[in-house]
Amino acid sequence: EAGPRGEPGEPGVPKTDVSSSVIHVQGAVDSAISAGATGKLHYWQTAVNTGGYTLHTNGEIEVHEDGYYFIYSQVLYYDASAFMGHSVRVNDVSFLRCTATTVSPDLKYNTGYVAGAKRLQAGDTVYVKIAYPNRVVDMHPDSTYFGMFKFSAN
């Protein structure tokens, strides 16, 4: 049998925005490739886009709505270099970053993953940039990818 009902709590803030959207892009090359001198990855294919985003040929995702977004990225390296890493950049400014080292030149595979939440405005662009030029990246669709989803407009 339940006990007596307690006092009512403080009222919460009602959630009025129920719109959400998602984009997930993944590597579009079934091999490992050099990230090039600029390090900006642009070999993407769209796996999911529910609307509110444009994937440009330069590798940037343009956001079409203001709001709070969860942004993530994974890069799989196949490179014997000592250091590797990447950043997720918003409007050419680093937002998320990771750096790793290889165990040995014989063990070339290494994965970097970053994720975080950020307020974005319509027209903002988001892209992945390799921190060290010319690193070799595995661009298989299940290995290297990035995306975001909008979880609130407020």
Side-chain angles (χ1 to χ4, degrees), residues 8-14:
E10 293 291 319
V13 177

Side-chain angles (χ1 to χ4, degrees), residues 15-98:
K15 178 148 174 63
T16 57
D17 171 46
V18 293
S19 66
S20 63
S21 60
V22 63
I23 185 168
H24 177 81
V25 300
Q26 54 196 27
V29 181
D30 283 332
S31 66
I33 61 167
S34 171
T38 67
K40 187 175 186 179
L41 294 183
H42 60 274
Y43 297 104
W44 300 114
Q45 61 187 351
T46 303
V48 176
N49 185 353
T50 61
Y53 311 90
T54 300
L55 173 62
H56 295 284
T57 56
N58 67 358
E60 296 180 359
I61 294 176
E62 181 181 352
V63 175
H64 297 297
E65 299 174 351
D66 295 356
Y68 287 93
Y69 291 80
F70 181 81
I71 305 168
Y72 60 91
S73 170
Q74 176 175 296
V75 175
L76 177 60
Y77 300 91
Y78 182 70
D79 196 290
S81 302
F83 296 101
M84 57 200 69
H86 75 280
S87 62
V88 171
R89 302 181 69 83
V90 176
N91 300 326
D92 295 320
V93 176
S94 181
F95 167 56
L96 301 166
R97 180 176 58 175
C98 73

Side-chain angles (χ1 to χ4, degrees), residues 137-150:
V137 174
D138 185 331
M139 290 299 290
H140 283 89
D142 62 349
S143 302
T144 298
Y145 48 83
F146 90 108
M148 67 187 86
F149 61 86
K150 180 181 170 187

